[in-house]
Amino acid sequence: MAALLGIVFPVAITGTGQLPVNSRCRPRTVVRSSNSNDRQTLFNRIAPVYDNLNDLLSLGQHRIWKNMAVSWSGAKTGDYVLDLCCGSGDLAFLLSERVGSIGKVMGLDFSCEQLAVASSRQNLRARSCYKCIEWIEGDATDLPFDDCKFDAITMGYGLRNVVDRHRAMREMYRVLKPGSRVSILDFNKSNQSVTAFMQDWMIDNVVVPVATVYGLAKEYEYLKYSINGYLTGEELETLALEAGFSSARHYEISGGFMGNLVAVRMMHKCRGALIYPSFGVLRLREPILYYATPLHISSYGNMLI
């Protein structure tokens, strides 16, 4: 039997404002479409069991894919980095390990419940690098940051559900330093009929039944429709280039069930100062070189048997 799909819901970021660590949700007067309100309710509802379901449904493989996404971002010691749609914080924690205690990680999400879980997880971690993370409640299409601010950006399972993807991509381009990368992990909308069929079958016959045990059947039924409404790898590359990125490449992973877009912003003057990226920042290397474990090799090309 093939390995279960890694289920990490997308985050639709449509709110504004900030949520400092350990603070509660604040009432806001932001007008959203009913669709966005439904998604916010969904993510607040699944927050308590979000991590457990991810581990169960992916057999832990989602951690491998997230490590790959962070590797592709090019984040390094001392960097100032951003994790969009941070959810309960998995990618933000991995980024903090890369940038160290002298770096800084901003984790932005629209779900106050997810951010509360992320903050609680942070408080349980002793390493100094985890103290460099700041959680913000915000809007992916209107980021509360200055131009050319970040050395790297990651986005895990989020772009698929942002209402205005073009605007979100342009915002990522705006706040990214020239010569730096954005790494976007999500489900892959495959052009292969067999892969697409397997995705739908796994969601209907494995994912939804498991979620039903947690009382979340309706929340996880939405997943299939969001994948069908997403962009193919080629379309994601085009989206990034239209937003201004100088190069973009989409990698299919885990037998084509997952995908990761890597886009690079060309180096140029930013607000009058020439930004020099670190040596080799434009070199896109396969993360399989970094995580060549038996589990990774199996999940990279074919699903586990």
Side-chain angles (χ1 to χ4, degrees):
M1 184 67 182
L4 303 184
L5 284 174
I7 304 303
V8 186
F9 268 84
V11 175
I13 299 179
T14 52
T16 57
Q18 295 188 348
L19 183 74
V21 174
N22 295 329
S23 67
R24 297 183 178 181
C25 306
R26 299 181 235 165
R28 294 176 296 163
T29 57
V30 178
V31 178
R32 297 189 184 88
S33 68
S34 59
N35 192 19
S36 296
N37 282 328
D38 289 344
R39 293 171 186 175
Q40 185 183 37
T41 300
L42 182 152
F43 284 100
N44 284 333
R45 176 169 163 74
I46 68 174
V49 297
Y50 182 79
D51 293 320
N52 290 337
L53 276 175
N54 286 342
D55 284 328
L56 176 63
L57 292 170
S58 72
L59 302 181
Q61 291 187 81
H62 72 97
R63 302 184 185 280
I64 297 170
W65 306 325
K66 290 170 182 175
N67 267 305
M68 294 171 73
V70 170
S71 290
W72 263 311
S73 76
K76 61 189 182 304
T77 303
D79 278 353
Y80 189 56
V81 300
L82 171 65
D83 180 30
L84 286 176
C85 307
C86 65
S88 59
D90 278 356
L91 285 171
F93 291 127
L94 291 173
L95 284 168
S96 70
E97 294 169 5
R98 289 240 167 190
V99 304
S101 58
I102 62 174
K104 180 72 174 180
V105 179
M106 306 298 292
L108 185 144
D109 200 303
F110 87 138
S111 170
C112 61
E113 295 294 337
Q114 292 279 7
L115 290 172
V117 172
S119 179
S120 297
R121 295 177 68 194
Q122 181 185 30
N123 292 335
L124 296 175
R125 299 181 179 225
R127 289 178 57 181
S128 60
C129 65
Y130 299 131
K131 308 304 179 185
C132 73
I133 306 173
E134 180 179 343
W135 311 107
I136 297 179
E137 187 177 356
D139 184 349
T141 64
D142 187 19
L143 296 175
F145 307 113
D146 294 334
D147 296 352
C148 308
K149 187 75 171 180
F150 296 100
D151 298 292
I153 298 176
T154 59
M155 191 178 201
Y157 301 94
L159 185 62
R160 170 166 43 97
N161 214 27
V162 172
V163 175
D164 190 340
R165 295 172 187 143
H166 287 84
R167 185 174 176 181
M169 189 66 75
R170 289 195 298 269
E171 277 292 273
M172 284 185 270
Y173 176 85
R174 179 183 67 80
V175 302
L176 187 67
K177 289 181 180 179
S180 299
R181 309 179 211 165
V182 60
S183 177
I184 301 174
L185 172 68
D186 214 312
F187 284 93
N188 178 46
K189 183 179 180 180
S190 178
N191 290 319
Q192 301 297 319
S193 58
V194 174
T195 302
F197 171 80
M198 284 297 297
Q199 277 185 330
D200 288 348
W201 188 92
M202 295 291 282
I203 292 172
D204 290 338
N205 295 279
V206 179
V207 174
V208 173
V210 171
T212 301
V213 176
Y214 291 83
L216 298 172
K218 291 184 178 180
E219 286 80 354
Y220 278 79
E221 286 172 355
Y222 165 77
L223 183 61
K224 179 170 68 175
Y225 303 102
S226 71
I227 295 174
N228 291 336
Y230 194 40
L231 304 178
T232 64
E234 184 176 348
E235 290 170 337
L236 285 168
E237 291 173 348
T238 300
L239 179 68
L241 295 175
E242 290 177 346
F245 289 93
S246 57
S247 64
R249 181 175 176 184
H250 183 265
Y251 298 89
E252 291 189 357
I253 55 180
S254 191
F257 282 161
M258 301 294 152
N260 201 103
L261 175 69
V262 183
V264 181
R265 176 170 178 172
M266 182 181 295
M267 186 175 68
H268 65 276
K269 287 187 177 181
C270 187
R271 291 200 173 191
L274 185 61
I275 307 297
Y276 291 91
S278 298
F279 178 77
V281 72
L282 298 181
R283 188 179 304 163
L284 304 184
R285 301 180 62 186
E286 297 281 355
I288 193 170
L289 298 176
Y290 301 98
Y291 302 99
T293 64
L295 176 61
H296 180 201
I297 293 172
S298 297
S299 64
Y300 188 89
N302 301 283
M303 291 186 296
L304 295 175
I305 302 301

